[in-house]
Amino acid sequence: MEIWINPACSKCRAATAALDEAGVTYTVRRYLDDPPTAEELEAVLTRLNLDPWHIVRMGEPAAAALKSLPKDNAHRADWIAAMVTNPILIQRPILTTDDGTTAIARDPETLTRLLDS
């Protein structure tokens, strides 16, 4: 199991605490220090069954340039490039289980579902 986190994020801290409490072995990726590549983001998006704009934190100052960017396949690479360049834009925490199931685990229900799978 792998979890992408920002240690300053309360949702990320809650998720790792829940994993610890459950006794789950997992790998932490501090994605601000070790940003994903475009290929890694594409793989995560495929597993999430989402488009890049669905996982962008639009409230971040770095997202200002994206507000006018169309949400379509013609601009998909632009959205991904923005997240690679500014990983703070990536929604968190992203948890991938050993079987490849992936979710944005911001709420206890999602985290519980992943731990039970």
Side-chain angles (χ1 to χ4, degrees):
M1 187 173 291
E2 180 178 71
I3 186 168
W4 291 7
I5 68 162
N6 172 354
C9 168
S10 63
K11 301 284 186 186
C12 293
R13 289 192 308 271
T16 55
L19 293 174
D20 291 341
E21 186 177 312
V24 174
T25 301
Y26 61 95
T27 302
V28 170
R29 180 169 185 174
R30 293 180 177 210
Y31 70 92
L32 297 179
D33 300 327
D34 181 17
T37 64
E39 293 78 19
E40 289 173 313
L41 275 174
E42 279 287 5
V44 164
L45 288 164
T46 297
R47 291 192 307 268
L48 288 168
N49 197 31
L50 294 173
D51 290 308
W53 44 87
H54 292 130
I55 69 165
V56 170
R57 298 173 50 85
M58 292 304 292
E60 293 290 338
L66 297 175
K67 293 188 193 278
S68 63
L69 191 63
K71 295 176 181 176
D72 60 22
N73 281 334
H75 294 89
R76 183 180 182 88
D78 298 322
W79 284 89
I80 290 172
M83 287 186 282
V84 169
T85 303
N86 299 293
I88 192 73
L89 295 174
I90 302 169
Q91 192 58 262
R92 60 191 182 247
I94 296 177
L95 183 66
T96 301
T97 64
D98 292 339
D99 71 1
T101 302
T102 303
I104 299 170
R106 293 188 57 76
D107 58 85
E109 296 78 20
T110 300
L111 192 54
T112 299
R113 181 178 48 82
L114 289 172
L115 290 174
D116 291 343
S117 62

